[in-house]
Amino acid sequence: MIDIKEYYDKEELIRLTQELVRIPSHKDVPNREKEVAEYIHRFCIENGLKSKLQPVDGERKNVLAYLEGIGNGKSLMFNGHTDTVPPYKMTIDPFAAEIKDGYIYGRGTVDMKGALACMLITMLAIKRSGIKLKGNIIFTGVIGEEEKSEGTEHIVKSKIKAHGAIVGEPSNYEYAIGHRGLEWLEIKIKGKAAHGGIPHLGVNAISKAAKLITKIEEELYPKLEKRYNEYMGPSVMNFGRIEGGSQPSTVADWCSIKIDRRYIPGETVESVIGEYQQIIDKLKAEDPEFDAEIVRMPNNMLTLDHLYLMTEPNELIVSCTREALKEVIGREPDITRRRGWTDAALLSSFGNIPTVVCGPGDISYSHTKDERVPINDLVNMVDVYSRIAMKFCGVVE
């Protein structure tokens, strides 16, 4: 196999990562990912890659770039998001892309503009090498992963097809073939207001919420502890936010509990919601004054459920990723078994594209006050991605 490092300059990779980081693309920027998408599009065109902008939401666009093979091999999708979380409370300049001690610092370095740069440089290096792939490489730089995954949902609905995909979330030389599904739920408890001096005339929604929380802990937690998947870990939940009432001297006539629920194969959106509903119904039967409803939070998703990812271990994209990592790091790579939700689940569940999560850097730096990515990881991931592409797409001898 060729040494891909001969066909690109390390400084080119560093510079591209820095330029992407220097373009703010979080939710509080006007037009959000517009500018960074246009930069990627220009970069591709200027370097001889076919590229187009795909409108998704107003000025917000996906970037689709192509390295075409001869047409008789498997097509590979590189998928990464162009948005980041906001840079507030960072202890470094979020958009300076400063280099220090072998790292590039800044918002989006590891999550995941560094991966975008690796994917693009991989495609350019293969093109420059003169290697003829049998199958195509499709780069999808998508909007909105940090919010509702509008970009990858649009990719799926636009019927873009591939035989396998890599999502470049940071994996620290590991790879993931499974992760839990994600559901955000709100339970709204209704009470009856009354003056604090005569609380017996009211129904305290906060008090009722406390009973509900206790009931969930007693009845649901033990069930979740027994549910486990080899490739994504246990089924879990978290009480993430509670609020209610208006002031200390008024009986609270409302309370809201917001829940993060991570579920695994054997569970569905319906079964997840149903378990909470059963507890609500039981409390209603025990207490005529208990009144609550459960709703799915609209800011968790657009229209497609955030299902779990489960790519079968015997899929070609899995073996190609494992082999490529092993060749680069010199040992058998580990499988990541407890990572957060990613767009890989949309590609797999709704696009029917077997998908693996693998990217440069350590997820522990994602969203942090001093986000960073090792330059060495970027270089190595170009090597990994190139090997995956050649193994998966096939090379004309």
Side-chain angles (χ1 to χ4, degrees), residues 6-173:
E6 296 180 7
Y7 298 98
Y8 78 95
D9 186 341
K10 176 181 174 181
E11 294 304 315
E12 179 183 25
L13 173 61
I14 293 171
R15 186 167 58 251
L16 177 57
T17 302
Q18 288 178 304
E19 290 303 314
L20 295 177
V21 170
R22 286 168 180 157
I23 303 172
S25 56
H26 56 86
K27 67 182 180 64
D28 297 325
V29 175
N31 295 321
R32 295 174 64 166
E33 306 93 341
K34 178 178 184 291
E35 187 178 345
V36 73
E38 291 175 346
Y39 179 91
I40 293 171
H41 175 62
R42 288 194 305 270
F43 176 87
C44 292
I45 296 297
E46 291 169 0
N47 285 278
L49 292 174
K50 292 184 177 180
S51 178
K52 67 178 182 180
L53 292 168
Q54 181 187 57
V56 179
D57 177 22
E59 293 294 315
R60 303 171 66 201
K61 300 178 177 70
N62 290 336
V63 190
L64 309 181
Y66 303 87
L67 179 62
E68 294 181 340
I70 64 171
N72 64 349
K74 295 185 181 298
S75 58
L76 172 66
M77 180 185 292
F78 284 142
N79 174 277
H81 59 87
T82 55
D83 65 320
T84 71
V85 295
Y88 311 125
K89 298 183 180 180
M90 294 188 74
T91 57
I92 58 172
D93 185 332
F95 306 118
E98 178 186 5
I99 296 175
K100 182 180 178 182
D101 300 326
Y103 291 84
I104 304 176
Y105 284 77
R107 179 57 83 225
T109 47
V110 77
D111 189 13
M112 56 177 291
K113 291 178 175 178
L116 295 177
C118 291
M119 292 170 175
L120 293 167
I121 293 297
T122 293
M123 294 169 73
L124 286 183
I126 291 175
K127 178 179 174 62
R128 293 167 183 167
S129 72
I131 293 172
K132 296 295 182 183
L133 296 178
K134 294 179 180 179
N136 303 327
I137 300 178
I138 308 160
F139 167 85
T140 55
V142 297
I143 69 167
E145 190 272 349
E146 299 290 359
E147 295 291 314
K148 297 183 180 180
S149 292
E150 302 98 317
T152 295
E153 178 164 322
H154 195 80
I155 292 293
V156 169
K157 290 184 174 180
S158 62
K159 306 297 184 183
I160 295 175
K161 295 299 181 183
H163 296 96
I166 297 291
V167 170
E169 297 283 1
S171 64
N172 199 28
Y173 298 107

